Amino acid sequence: MKINAQRLLENLDRYAQIGKMGSIGVERIALSEEDKRARDLLKAQMIDAGLQVHIDQLGNMNGIRKGKREGNPVAFGSHLDTVYSGGRYDGALGVLAGLELIQTLNDNQIETEKPLALVNFTNEEGVRFAPDMMGSHVHAGMADLSDILNSPAYDNPNETVGSCLKSIGYDGEMEPGAIQFDAFYELHIEQGPVLELEQIDIGVVEQVQGIYWTRYKVLGEANHAGTTPVYYRKDAGFAAAKIQQFIGKYTRRKEGKVLTTVGSVKLSPDAINIVPESAVFTLDVRSTDEALLRKAQKRIDKYIEETVEADELNFEREELVRFSPVRFPLSMTDSVQIATQSLGLTYKRMSSGAGHDAQMMAHFCPSTMIFIPSVRGISHNVEEFSHDKDVENGANVLLAAVLRKSSS
Amino acid sequence: MKINAQRLLENLDRYAQIGKMGSIGVERIALSEEDKRARDLLKAQMIDAGLQVHIDQLGNMNGIRKGKREGNPVAFGSHLDTVYSGGRYDGALGVLAGLELIQTLNDNQIETEKPLALVNFTNEEGVRFAPDMMGSHVHAGMADLSDILNSPAYDNPNETVGSCLKSIGYDGEMEPGAIQFDAFYELHIEQGPVLELEQIDIGVVEQVQGIYWTRYKVLGEANHAGTTPVYYRKDAGFAAAKIQQFIGKYTRRKEGKVLTTVGSVKLSPDAINIVPESAVFTLDVRSTDEALLRKAQKRIDKYIEETVEADELNFEREELVRFSPVRFPLSMTDSVQIATQSLGLTYKRMSSGAGHDAQMMAHFCPSTMIFIPSVRGISHNVEEFSHDKDVENGANVLLAAVLRKSSS
């Protein structure tokens, strides 16, 4: 049994019109008007496909399909929200392939042993409200709902998650996580270049990297660039550059086992002729190995302390995120591999560099992910693209894996 | 003969109320409402002191005091505009000490041999309209007036120098530089820490450093920080950090003979989890030695090319400013030294690290500067401060030097 590729691709295109940006991009920020329209469409399509729809207090959408037996459903899905200037596949692929899976079972009049659940998680991207992977985080019982409901928008502290959920009418009744899942599958684009480079159809995702995010502020003294002798300077920008260089070299020494990135640097006062008095920069560290992750963080923190001290400066440090690596159970990753092989497709067992809802769900039930190739590895970008054939392959692997899991 | 210190300090305080910021700071941006009010006050005070006031087409204010003879006046002055969050001494000291000089001569009924000219130059700071030292630049015949009149405001391209001059009523009749000067003296705060550290009263300024300003844009590729292997990255931020480190080390090797500063760095997209696709940074290079200045610029440019090429990136380069070092004539610096010694004050022959109107005027007539100590070397900052005693000393040195020069 195969999914209806045409129907899925048309539906992907339909959702891509909601918040359309550029020729193929999408900007559909969590809890915005566009998010509401996409949710309304999903709800209608869920009902149309015969699902019983439950909205929880955080706006997570669960569409339940009865099985022959009672019990915990086999779940699958992802998120419908995007980043600013985002793409049409990141998140939407997993939700709409899940819907297509259900429509295919309906077409073939198949009733599974276990129930099924199609899930759309709230605010996976976390670009307007922290934290990211918000809906799955709370669903998995890893954060307090009321704290999260009070989370203010970055750009407008007067808007909170709670107030926006109300505005768009998705402040539901159900307690998050009330429906226990038997398992959770997330189909997603790779967001990296490996599958395309190696010309492989499917990524069998064994683990999600741990993510440590830290923000630092180096404090020096602003001084005139022309009149201040070097010995008198407390140049926060120079110190930050040395630190940035160390961080960049560190990852290159670790040959891929630990990834370190400085994505943001802001100097102040940021004027051509003033020695910087402060430098705020961010550090993103990732590894599938928690020990290596901790060691990298510690080594970098030590270098920062030493450098700041040697230059007679000060610094502040703020931990933003500490997500541990997550390893998916063999039974789940094997089920994806078997499904892939049964379809005659090539696969590679690999890690996910990006955080995903499945990473949170792994704390809730046996979970895993299925990757399809990203053209040039680009995502979080209006040019994000995956080939139709890969979209179809991914959806078929999802269908095969879910079918097998829901009949055992 | 000595100036009236009380009157000068009161007048400094009077002008410091125009655009007052914080307890002692001043924000009086060129061609703003505050600038107009300060100019109006100066014009009234000039007329009150018996000067004939000429406003040129760029708003430069020349107040002429007749001498016994006809001929080119001995000029002195500075600027009344400040930077954002600036101080009360930078520029205003030179103008108001000049006014005080004239009032003192009036009090003592002294008529000098040569005429005198008190000057307030337009837009020395260049924080809203480029270039800096605008008024003296044009007065000295080094830039085209109509180009300058069309210079748009950084924050609002619909406002130009010309339109703003009209708004505040200082689009004068006279051609800039129509009045030739016999000599030009500028009293100014040091804006550096040396005089205070060495406990010296007066800086006899022999030269102004050359200033090279360049802006670079390193171009890489934005990529997901979690999913992009190191070998696949084109990290513009990492390249910029290596360059920044080289620039910082360069000046430390040159033991003060060449000053290099990176004051501004902007990454894009500037997100914690995205490898930077571009890094825009600025380079400020200064030296009193033009050969060293050129060599430094060349060496840094070479390092930038090599680094960018090694990382397989690209870059763009924009020259913003190229001011050559200026050496003031011995006759002028000696006249300041003699004046200082005659008052029993200590002095140090030194360079100016900052650009000044006198640097432009040096191309127009024999010029020089007189420095007084800056507390902690701080300027371009609301905490800019100089002691009353130093203000008085500086004004007396100016008076003595101008008296001697205008009677020869």
Side-chain angles (χ1 to χ4, degrees), chain A residues 116 170 359:
Chain A
L116 303 180
Y170 277 85
Q359 182 176 11

Side-chain angles (χ1 to χ4, degrees), chain A residues 191 227 245 266 270 376, chain B residues 191 221 227 245 266 270:
Chain A
Q191 297 179 288
T227 62
Q245 196 193 26
K266 285 181 173 32
D270 201 43
R376 295 202 55 241
Chain B
Q191 297 180 287
E221 190 173 72
T227 62
Q245 196 194 28
K266 285 182 173 36
D270 201 42

Side-chain angles (χ1 to χ4, degrees), chain B residues 297-359:
Chain B
Q297 183 67 51
K298 203 168 162 190
R299 182 68 195 91
I300 292 167
D301 276 325
K302 181 157 179 269
Y303 183 85
I304 292 172
E305 274 179 49
E306 290 169 348
T307 300
V308 165
E309 192 180 316
D311 284 9
E312 294 176 9
L313 307 175
N314 285 303
F315 80 103
E316 295 167 358
R317 185 178 175 283
E318 190 188 351
E319 286 181 14
L320 303 174
V321 157
R322 289 290 183 270
F323 289 148
S324 293
V326 152
R327 185 164 270 282
F328 296 131
L330 257 182
S331 60
M332 291 296 289
T333 54
D334 282 350
S335 78
V336 171
Q337 183 178 321
I338 288 163
T340 306
Q341 285 169 314
S342 75
L343 290 160
L345 299 170
T346 55
Y347 69 92
K348 177 186 172 78
R349 296 187 78 101
M350 61 189 291
S351 306
S352 170
H356 292 285
D357 291 315
Q359 184 177 9

Side-chain angles (χ1 to χ4, degrees), chain A residues 160-172:
Chain A
T160 62
V161 170
S163 73
C164 289
L165 271 171
K166 279 199 172 61
S167 289
I168 64 169
Y170 277 85
D171 52 327

Side-chain angles (χ1 to χ4, degrees), chain A residues 159-323:
Chain A
E159 290 187 32
T160 62
V161 170
S163 73
C164 289
L165 271 171
K166 279 199 172 61
S167 289
I168 64 169
Y170 277 85
D171 52 327
E173 299 277 325
M174 188 173 84
E175 192 187 321
I179 302 174
Q180 180 64 39
F181 296 158
D182 179 69
F184 177 73
Y185 289 89
E186 183 169 8
L187 172 66
H188 206 284
I189 52 172
E190 181 199 337
Q191 297 179 288
V194 176
L195 289 176
E196 186 190 45
L197 277 175
E198 300 186 17
Q199 298 188 314
I200 289 177
D201 297 318
I202 294 291
V204 175
V205 188
E206 302 183 290
Q207 50 194 345
V208 182
Q209 286 192 106
I211 309 170
Y212 286 6
W213 282 353
T214 316
R215 181 161 53 218
Y216 301 86
K217 184 172 188 176
V218 179
L219 300 155
E221 190 173 73
N223 271 311
H224 197 296
T227 62
T228 315
V230 173
Y231 61 80
Y232 202 75
R233 296 183 177 201
K234 295 195 194 300
D235 189 335
F238 181 51
K242 286 185 286 189
I243 291 164
Q244 222 186 313
Q245 196 193 26
F246 178 84
I247 291 168
K249 284 183 163 172
Y250 187 92
T251 193
R252 280 152 181 78
R253 276 205 309 277
K254 296 301 173 187
E255 294 178 356
K257 300 210 180 315
V258 181
L259 279 179
T260 62
T261 308
V262 175
S264 171
V265 173
K266 285 181 173 32
L267 303 188
S268 178
D270 201 43
I272 190 169
N273 58 353
I274 303 180
V275 175
E277 77 178 344
S278 75
V280 178
F281 64 91
T282 58
L283 172 63
D284 176 316
V285 188
R286 307 207 190 198
S287 182
T288 50
D289 181 327
E290 179 116 56
L292 287 184
L293 195 49
R294 283 211 204 101
K295 186 172 164 184
Q297 183 67 52
K298 204 169 161 188
R299 183 66 196 91
I300 291 168
D301 276 326
K302 181 159 180 268
Y303 184 85
I304 291 172
E305 274 179 48
E306 290 170 348
T307 300
V308 165
E309 193 180 315
D311 285 9
E312 295 175 11
L313 307 175
N314 286 302
F315 79 104
E316 295 167 359
R317 186 178 174 283
E318 192 189 349
E319 286 183 12
L320 303 174
V321 158
R322 288 290 183 270
F323 289 148

Side-chain angles (χ1 to χ4, degrees), chain B residues 99-387:
Chain B
L99 180 67
E100 174 54 39
L101 183 162
I102 284 166
Q103 289 166 332
T104 297
L105 293 182
N106 290 348
D107 291 347
N108 289 276
Q109 291 166 328
I110 304 260
E111 197 183 17
T112 50
E113 291 290 323
K114 301 175 186 167
L116 302 180
L118 169 61
V119 190
N120 169 36
F121 287 114
T122 295
N123 188 28
E124 190 273 350
E125 298 289 8
V127 292
R128 194 160 184 255
F129 304 92
D132 52 352
M133 297 172 286
M134 176 184 279
S136 49
H137 208 69
V138 173
H139 181 108
M142 296 168 73
D144 183 75
L145 176 64
S146 50
D147 283 346
I148 296 293
L149 288 173
N150 286 330
S151 181
Y154 284 128
D155 58 346
N156 181 0
N158 294 326
E159 289 187 32
T160 61
V161 169
S163 73
C164 290
L165 272 170
K166 279 199 172 59
S167 288
I168 65 169
Y170 277 85
D171 51 327
E173 300 277 324
M174 187 172 85
E175 192 187 322
I179 301 173
Q180 180 63 39
F181 297 158
D182 179 68
F184 177 74
Y185 289 89
E186 184 170 6
L187 172 66
H188 207 285
I189 53 172
E190 180 199 338
Q191 297 180 287
V194 175
L195 289 175
E196 185 189 47
L197 278 174
E198 299 184 18
Q199 298 187 313
I200 290 178
D201 297 319
I202 294 290
V204 175
V205 187
E206 302 184 288
Q207 50 193 344
V208 182
Q209 286 191 107
I211 310 170
Y212 284 7
W213 281 355
T214 316
R215 181 161 53 216
Y216 300 87
K217 184 172 188 178
V218 179
L219 300 157
E221 190 173 72
N223 270 312
H224 198 296
T227 62
T228 314
V230 173
Y231 61 80
Y232 200 75
R233 296 183 176 201
K234 293 194 194 301
D235 189 334
F238 180 51
K242 285 186 286 188
I243 292 164
Q244 221 184 315
Q245 196 194 28
F246 178 83
I247 290 168
K249 285 182 163 172
Y250 187 91
T251 193
R252 281 153 180 77
R253 277 205 308 277
K254 295 302 173 187
E255 294 176 357
K257 299 210 181 315
V258 181
L259 279 179
T260 62
T261 309
V262 175
S264 171
V265 173
K266 285 182 173 36
L267 302 188
S268 178
D270 201 42
I272 189 168
N273 58 352
I274 303 180
V275 175
E277 76 179 344
S278 76
V280 179
F281 64 91
T282 57
L283 171 64
D284 176 316
V285 187
R286 307 208 190 199
S287 181
T288 50
D289 181 327
E290 179 118 55
L292 286 183
L293 194 50
R294 283 212 204 99
K295 186 173 164 182
Q297 183 67 51
K298 203 168 162 190
R299 182 68 195 91
I300 292 167
D301 276 325
K302 181 157 179 269
Y303 183 85
I304 292 172
E305 274 179 49
E306 290 169 348
T307 300
V308 165
E309 192 180 316
D311 284 9
E312 294 176 9
L313 307 175
N314 285 303
F315 80 103
E316 295 167 358
R317 185 178 175 283
E318 190 188 351
E319 286 181 14
L320 303 174
V321 157
R322 289 290 183 270
F323 289 148
S324 293
V326 152
R327 185 164 270 282
F328 296 131
L330 257 182
S331 60
M332 291 296 289
T333 54
D334 282 350
S335 78
V336 171
Q337 183 178 321
I338 288 163
T340 306
Q341 285 169 314
S342 75
L343 290 160
L345 299 170
T346 55
Y347 69 92
K348 177 186 172 78
R349 296 187 78 101
M350 61 189 291
S351 306
S352 170
H356 292 285
D357 291 315
Q359 184 177 9
M360 298 296 121
M361 294 306 289
H363 298 273
F364 184 74
C365 67
S367 303
T368 194
M369 298 189 75
I370 305 160
F371 274 170
I372 66 168
S374 287
V375 172
R376 297 200 56 242
I378 290 173
S379 78
H380 285 193
N381 186 306
V382 292
E383 297 194 8
E384 177 183 281
F385 186 73
S386 288
H387 295 298

Side-chain angles (χ1 to χ4, degrees), chain B residues 48-62:
Chain B
D48 220 50
L51 303 182
Q52 192 181 38
V53 182
H54 304 271
I55 318 281
D56 73 22
Q57 293 155 348
L58 197 49
N60 294 321
M61 299 169 68
N62 292 238

